[in-house]
Amino acid sequence: MYSKLSLRVRLTLSYIVLIVISMTVLGVGYYVKSSQVILQNASGTYLGLVKTSNKSLDAKFATVEQSAVNMHLDEDLFELFNTTDLQARYLNYETDRKITRILQKYFPTSEDVYSVNLATKDYMFGGNPFFWIPKKDFSASDIYQTGLQAVDRTVWIPTYNLLEKYFASTATTSSKDQFVFTATRLINLSRVTNNLLKAMDPQAERPILLVNFQESMITKAFQESLVVQGSYYYVFTKDMKIISTSDRSNARSLQQEWMRSLLTDKSGTRYLKVNGEKMVVCFDQIATTGWTSAVLIPYDNLLKTVPNMFSYTLYSTVMILVLSIFLASFFSSRITMPLKKLLWGIKQSGEGNFNTRIDTQGASEVNLIIHRFNQMNDKIQILIKENYETSLKEIEAELKALNFQFNPHFLYNTLNIINYLAIENKQTVISKMLVELSEMLEYTAKKSGEVAFREDVSYLKSYDYIMKQRFEDKFRIEYDIDPDLYRYTVPKFFLQPFIENAIIHGLEDCEEGGLIRVSGHIAEHLRIFTIEDNGKGMEASAISRILALSEAAGHGSSKSVGIENVHKRVKLIYGEPYGITIESRLQAGTKVTITLPLPN
């Protein structure tokens, strides 16, 4: 049934099938790939930002850990604290200043560090312009007790409000609030003496190291990670205590379920429902503290900013286009096969194979055209002998007629007699001219068509000699011809008419100083000959008339018959692409270019 449909209906059905398949693949592919691209971007880009922020924080925290270890062997601190009577030293201002300088050596001033202190049961060492930690009765705080237990490693205490913890009677928020998190460790000092490690007196009190970091340093670290609108971060401990967060609004109530789900892995990306909203959560663990950092990105907002979706759409479109082309090629090949056969038959006929026949099946529109084509070839084959062979004979006759214009053979013997008379009367110049003219006529008497280029140049130089005698050297001719050109043949008399035209017409008003330059060279499989003169030049209409290209061409004019003859012969022998071009301007000379093919 499909084969009986018209060509238009079959093509329409094919296009519909292609469109349906393309749109289906595009829609399904876009939906499936969009989820993968979002996850890939979140994993590759935002997780990378989270890890970068964590590495920055971890480097700072690791420095604290290393500095705390190095302090254990500080000799100055050992001398100060290796005593059972610290009360006297507490009251010494210079001692306090000395300890402060020691602390600054291990913990240089930084915008992230709020304060660095060494604390004992009764006193606090270390200064800060904004120092809020009480220097007495600090031993009653939970932070001091935590530091006493931190014997083997540094303990990190989650973020708290200094003002609220030590001074405020209520939990009311104040503009003076200072949120910090603390690294604390017991410093068990030692000294190396004679390659032996000497520990502190067992009765001497070990100080507690307190390094307070401003909570804002974490906010700065994660600032570049919050590039998607509506995203925020959390840093929390394994006990799900908040270290820092950018989600300070009351609109989102803290739910610990999603935090707990992240603690099973150290790093990764997950889709989670947080407060009823679909979020992409990128999380990573800080190695030094064991805290988990998480950036929460709204899924819908992330979808709007994913640039790779455009690339995927472009690639998908290209793939679908390729598939469509393949299917179109398959269907169209079945539909247009008769047309291909017809085109093949037309090509064969164009090459002269008029006996070509194309098989036809069915009665469709294309098959009807093929049947008519076969009939046309039959008629052409009948007429070919009558027309084609006759045309060949006409061309051959025209070539003979054109060459006959330069075949005055009957004058040859007469000129020889005149030459003998000139010699007897001692007329040398006349004799030389007659010899040159005789050689020209002998060359003219040879068969028409193509001749050796060397012979044609010899004929041209004989003509050159006679014309110089005639016009008493009012002009000269220069030759610049590539020797390689002498190996080929050229149409007979193809340069002489242009020399004659230059002498008689171009230089007719010239009394002396006339110059004609004849040159020839090979360029890009072409033989190019030029004849230039410095005569009076021609108008464009005269050029058209000489080449017989205008309707007003003067075919009977003696001024152009020789040039027109050469132009016609070149085209008849070599074909239409070759022939003569003329460039000229009044009072600026004329340049004639003859282009011939280079034989293989």
Side-chain angles (χ1 to χ4, degrees):
M1 291 179 60
Y2 184 77
S3 61
K4 294 181 181 179
L5 296 174
S6 65
L7 178 62
R8 180 177 180 181
V9 174
R10 283 184 286 176
L11 289 175
T12 302
L13 290 176
S14 300
Y15 292 151
I16 291 175
V17 171
L18 289 175
I19 292 172
V20 170
I21 293 175
S22 300
M23 291 299 100
T24 302
V25 173
L26 182 61
V28 174
Y30 185 88
Y31 177 80
V32 173
K33 193 63 179 180
S34 62
S35 299
Q36 298 177 356
V37 170
I38 290 174
L39 180 60
Q40 179 181 358
N41 283 344
S43 301
T45 304
Y46 297 107
L47 180 59
L49 292 175
V50 173
K51 289 183 176 181
T52 300
S53 301
N54 274 7
K55 287 181 179 179
S56 175
L57 293 174
D58 189 59
K60 295 178 181 179
F61 296 159
T63 301
V64 174
E65 184 77 30
Q66 185 62 44
S67 297
V69 172
N70 295 338
M71 287 181 64
H72 284 74
L73 297 177
D74 190 282
E75 294 187 0
D76 293 333
L77 291 178
F78 182 86
E79 292 294 334
L80 290 171
F81 287 97
N82 188 27
T83 178
T84 58
D85 185 14
L86 291 175
Q87 185 65 27
R89 295 181 179 178
Y90 288 167
L91 301 178
N92 189 331
Y93 176 78
E94 290 300 324
T95 301
D96 189 12
R97 293 285 294 173
K98 184 176 181 180
I99 294 176
T100 299
R101 286 193 296 269
I102 294 173
L103 291 175
Q104 289 179 348
K105 178 179 67 175
Y106 290 100
F107 302 96
T109 303
S110 170
E111 61 177 356
D112 296 328
V113 178
Y114 182 76
S115 63
V116 181
N117 307 100
L118 282 176
T120 60
K121 181 176 63 175
D122 298 318
Y123 200 75
M124 176 77 69
F125 297 96
N128 188 297
F130 306 99
F131 196 67
W132 289 352
I133 301 178
K135 293 197 173 187
K136 292 185 178 182
D137 301 327
F138 179 70
S139 59
S141 67
D142 56 344
I143 294 177
Y144 180 79
Q145 298 302 320
T146 301
L148 288 177
Q149 303 300 320
V151 177
D152 298 326
R153 62 182 181 85
T154 302
V155 175
W156 295 84
I157 300 174
T159 303
Y160 57 93
N161 187 347
L162 278 175
L163 183 62
E164 176 185 332
K165 191 172 187 66
Y166 295 112
F167 297 100
S169 58
T170 63
T172 304
T173 303
S174 170
S175 59
K176 297 182 180 180
D177 287 348
Q178 180 62 51
F179 292 91
V180 299
F181 57 92
T182 303
T184 182
R185 180 169 181 167
L186 181 68
I187 304 300
N188 190 8
L189 297 167
S190 302
R191 182 173 65 182
V192 177
T193 304
N194 297 326
N195 294 326
L196 296 176
L197 186 66
K198 180 180 180 181
M200 292 178 63
D201 190 311
Q203 302 301 320
E205 183 179 0
R206 274 67 172 169
I208 304 299
L209 174 66
L210 298 170
V211 182
N212 296 313
F213 290 90
Q214 300 191 73
E215 187 258 349
S216 59
M217 72 174 290
I218 300 180
T219 302
K220 294 177 183 178
F222 285 93
Q223 186 174 4
E224 294 184 359
S225 301
L226 307 179
V227 295
V228 178
Q229 183 178 5
S231 59
Y232 51 95
Y233 78 90
Y234 272 93
V235 178
F236 54 91
T237 67
K238 294 180 179 179
D239 299 331
M240 288 171 289
K241 294 181 180 179
I242 306 301
I243 304 298
S244 179
T245 180
S246 60
D247 181 29
R248 299 191 180 279
S249 64
N250 295 325
R252 298 188 181 96
S253 59
L254 182 61
Q255 295 180 355
Q256 296 184 348
E257 289 77 9
W258 67 268
M259 292 184 181
R260 188 177 291 106
S261 66
L262 302 182
L263 295 177
T264 56
D265 296 324
K266 292 185 177 182
S267 181
T269 302
R270 291 184 183 177
Y271 291 116
L272 296 174
K273 283 281 187 178
V274 180
N275 297 327
E277 184 179 6
K278 187 176 182 181
M279 307 291 286
V280 178
V281 182
C282 302
F283 63 97
D284 187 60
Q285 192 177 89
I286 302 175
T288 303
T289 61
W291 297 341
T292 298
S293 303
V295 173
L296 292 82
I297 307 169
Y299 181 91
D300 293 335
N301 292 347
L302 179 61
L303 184 63
K304 298 176 182 178
T305 60
V306 176
N308 287 341
M309 291 307 302
F310 173 79
S311 299
Y312 169 72
T313 303
L314 178 61
Y315 298 149
S316 299
T317 303
V318 172
M319 292 179 63
I320 292 171
L321 181 60
V322 172
L323 178 62
S324 300
I325 292 174
F326 174 78
L327 294 176
S329 176
F330 175 79
F331 287 118
S332 62
S333 64
R334 301 295 300 272
I335 296 170
T336 61
M337 184 61 69
L339 288 175
K340 292 182 179 179
K341 293 181 179 179
L342 179 59
L343 290 174
W344 174 82
I346 293 173
K347 182 179 179 181
Q348 294 297 316
S349 297
E351 294 175 354
N353 300 323
F354 295 107
N355 58 347
T356 302
R357 293 293 179 274
I358 303 174
D359 296 332
T360 60
Q361 297 177 354
S364 65
E365 298 90 340
V366 179
N367 287 327
L368 179 61
I369 295 174
I370 293 175
H371 180 67
R372 296 296 185 188
F373 172 81
N374 289 335
Q375 290 182 341
M376 180 188 69
N377 269 357
D378 292 336
K379 292 181 180 180
I380 291 175
Q381 203 165 14
I382 294 172
L383 297 173
I384 191 170
K385 292 183 179 180
E386 300 176 4
N387 295 317
Y388 188 71
E389 293 177 359
T390 302
S391 297
L392 289 177
K393 291 180 180 179
E394 289 177 355
I395 292 175
E396 183 179 356
E398 185 175 0
L399 279 172
K400 290 181 179 180
L402 289 171
N403 280 284
F404 186 73
Q405 296 180 32
F406 292 99
N407 198 16
H409 183 60
F410 69 95
L411 294 177
Y412 179 65
N413 292 329
T414 304
L415 289 174
N416 280 336
I417 295 173
I418 297 173
N419 181 39
Y420 294 143
L421 292 175
I423 293 174
E424 290 178 359
N425 289 279
K426 298 182 180 181
Q427 297 294 326
T428 307
V429 175
I430 296 175
S431 175
K432 176 63 175 175
M433 292 178 65
L434 288 172
V435 170
E436 297 292 343
L437 181 58
S438 296
E439 291 180 358
M440 291 172 61
L441 290 175
E442 182 180 4
Y443 174 74
T444 303
K446 291 183 179 181
K447 65 178 182 178
S448 61
E450 294 185 88
V451 297
F453 180 54
R454 187 179 302 277
E455 294 180 8
D456 204 71
V457 172
S458 178
Y459 167 82
L460 186 62
K461 290 183 177 179
S462 296
Y463 177 79
D464 175 9
Y465 177 80
I466 293 173
M467 298 306 289
K468 284 181 179 178
Q469 299 302 321
R470 176 185 173 186
F471 292 99
E472 298 180 350
D473 295 329
K474 75 172 184 177
F475 67 89
R476 59 189 175 90
I477 301 178
E478 295 180 355
Y479 296 90
D480 181 16
I481 297 175
D482 189 342
D484 290 339
L485 290 170
Y486 291 112
R487 297 186 298 164
Y488 306 106
T489 59
V490 295
K492 197 173 182 180
F493 305 113
F494 86 113
L495 291 177
Q496 184 272 339
F498 303 100
I499 303 296
E500 179 181 357
N501 191 70
I503 295 173
I504 296 175
H505 302 291
L507 302 175
E508 64 179 345
D509 297 333
C510 179
E511 294 297 332
E512 61 180 9
L515 175 62
I516 300 173
R517 183 178 291 106
V518 181
S519 61
H521 65 280
I522 298 174
E524 297 182 356
H525 303 288
L526 294 175
R527 290 177 291 166
I528 301 174
F529 302 90
T530 58
I531 301 95
E532 300 178 75
D533 66 68
N534 60 351
K536 63 182 182 180
M538 294 182 289
E539 296 181 349
S541 59
I543 296 174
S544 299
R545 185 166 60 252
I546 290 174
L547 295 178
L549 297 177
S550 65
E551 295 181 358
H555 294 291
S557 173
S558 62
K559 294 182 179 181
S560 61
V561 64
I563 296 176
E564 184 181 353
N565 179 287
V566 174
H567 188 59
K568 286 183 178 180
R569 284 192 296 136
V570 168
K571 290 188 174 295
L572 284 171
I573 294 172
Y574 301 110
E576 283 298 323
Y578 308 101
I580 299 166
T581 59
I582 299 178
E583 304 174 25
S584 182
R585 290 188 301 165
L586 290 176
Q587 306 306 322
T590 301
K591 178 180 179 182
V592 177
T593 303
I594 306 172
T595 304
L596 304 180
L598 186 67
N600 295 328

